[in-house]
Amino acid sequence: MLSEGASYTPLPGEQTLYQSPPRTTLSLQSADKHPPSQAYSQQCKSGVVYLTNRRIIYLPVTATSEFQSFAVPILNVLDSRVTAPWFGANKWEAVVQPVYGGGIPPQHSELELTMEFKEGGAFDFATTFERLKERLKQAVEVARESGLATGDGTESGGGQGGGALAGVNLNSVHLEDLPAYSPAVQQTPLIRPEPLPASPRRESVASASSPTAANRSSSLSSPRQDTFQPPSDPPPGYEEVQRGSIADELERRLRNAEERDDR
């Protein structure tokens, strides 16, 4: 599990998603239901936490004969949460299920895990872990529906092909954050309006800048602006009306003359 340097030996296809500062503590405790004689406890005050697409790995800064490393598969971690005490650094707590043959006594089916991030990073670790665990669960469900998954709900061993991820294509699991959704901006293409067919009125106005066009436009004036010319022939019945008017005038003058003679 350990490499020649200060890191770990990755499994085939394993990628590191998070690495904590070196001053991170680790505490493993057995549940209270066990008697004191069977209790299990492991402590480390300074180490580095690695979160990969397969496991949580803790490597102490100074290894001892009692404790050299700790690792747990992602799907074997339950009830994880971040606690922020009034005093001290933030902690990440969870319940882990040990794998078979991993160095923990077999009578302990669950252990309480606590990691204290003294130099920060608890929330970053928790956010990355929850996103990764959810996507691994979805990959397992898809593999089960297609009949490819052969494991149960948890990892039974530390090998590549055992446990819940047996038969799951880890290359299809998206490890990075998906881009935030933003509505697509539809760019409306510029549509140039087609020119309307020119009417005689538009042509006269458009060409009014030239002297010839100006003379032509002045000749196309409104009928109201034309000079009135009287008709050469008299209207119908004009002569009858004229004769009647003359007769009436003569009769009126004769009547007036007779009245003067009588006086």
Side-chain angles (χ1 to χ4, degrees):
M1 175 178 177
L2 301 179
S3 62
E4 296 180 357
S7 182
Y8 64 95
T9 301
L11 299 173
E14 189 172 19
Q15 304 178 30
T16 301
L17 305 180
Y18 174 85
Q19 179 179 346
S20 74
R23 294 182 63 244
T24 303
T25 67
L26 174 73
S27 173
L28 281 174
Q29 300 286 342
S30 58
D32 296 336
K33 62 182 179 180
H34 293 88
S37 59
Q38 298 181 358
Y40 179 85
S41 177
Q42 193 67 254
Q43 308 286 335
C44 184
K45 296 186 178 298
S46 182
V48 178
V49 179
Y50 297 91
L51 177 61
T52 73
N53 58 334
R54 292 291 302 272
R55 305 173 288 175
I56 296 177
I57 303 172
Y58 182 88
L59 300 181
V61 174
T62 303
T64 63
S65 57
E66 292 82 12
F67 183 69
Q68 296 184 359
S69 65
F70 170 77
V72 58
I74 298 297
L75 297 182
N76 285 45
V77 179
L78 310 174
D79 300 332
S80 59
R81 59 194 177 277
V82 176
T83 59
W86 290 101
F87 301 99
N90 296 332
K91 299 179 181 180
W92 185 79
E93 300 176 350
V95 175
V96 299
Q97 297 175 336
V99 298
Y100 178 76
I104 296 176
Q107 65 268 22
H108 299 286
S109 59
E110 292 183 350
L111 295 175
E112 297 178 356
L113 169 65
T114 302
M115 293 188 298
E116 185 178 6
F117 293 77
K118 292 186 176 181
E119 296 183 2
F123 287 99
D124 293 338
F125 174 84
T127 302
T128 306
F129 172 81
E130 294 298 336
R131 183 182 72 248
L132 173 63
K133 184 178 179 180
E134 183 65 24
R135 294 179 183 177
L136 287 178
K137 285 183 177 180
Q138 294 176 357
V140 172
E141 292 177 0
V142 172
R144 287 177 178 175
E145 293 176 357
S146 59
L148 299 177
T150 58
D152 55 4
T154 60
E155 293 277 10
S156 60
Q160 176 189 5
L165 298 179
V168 178
N169 183 13
L170 296 179
N171 295 328
S172 63
V173 179
H174 297 284
L175 302 179
E176 302 295 334
D177 288 334
L178 297 178
Y181 170 77
S182 59
V185 179
Q186 296 182 355
Q187 297 182 355
T188 305
L190 297 177
I191 302 177
R192 296 183 178 179
E194 297 181 358
L196 298 176
S199 61
R201 181 67 178 174
R202 293 177 178 270
E203 292 180 354
S204 62
V205 174
S207 60
S209 58
S210 61
T212 305
N215 297 333
R216 188 185 306 112
S217 62
S218 61
S219 63
L220 297 176
S221 58
S222 174
R224 296 182 181 181
Q225 298 178 358
D226 295 340
T227 305
F228 175 75
Q229 297 180 359
S232 58
D233 298 332
Y238 175 76
E239 295 180 355
E240 288 79 2
V241 174
Q242 190 70 16
R243 286 194 296 268
S245 298
I246 295 173
D248 293 340
E249 182 65 21
L250 291 175
E251 184 179 357
R252 184 181 63 80
R253 291 182 179 182
L254 292 174
R255 189 182 305 110
N256 292 339
E258 290 177 358
E259 289 177 357
R260 285 195 302 268
D261 292 341
D262 294 338
R263 287 197 295 265

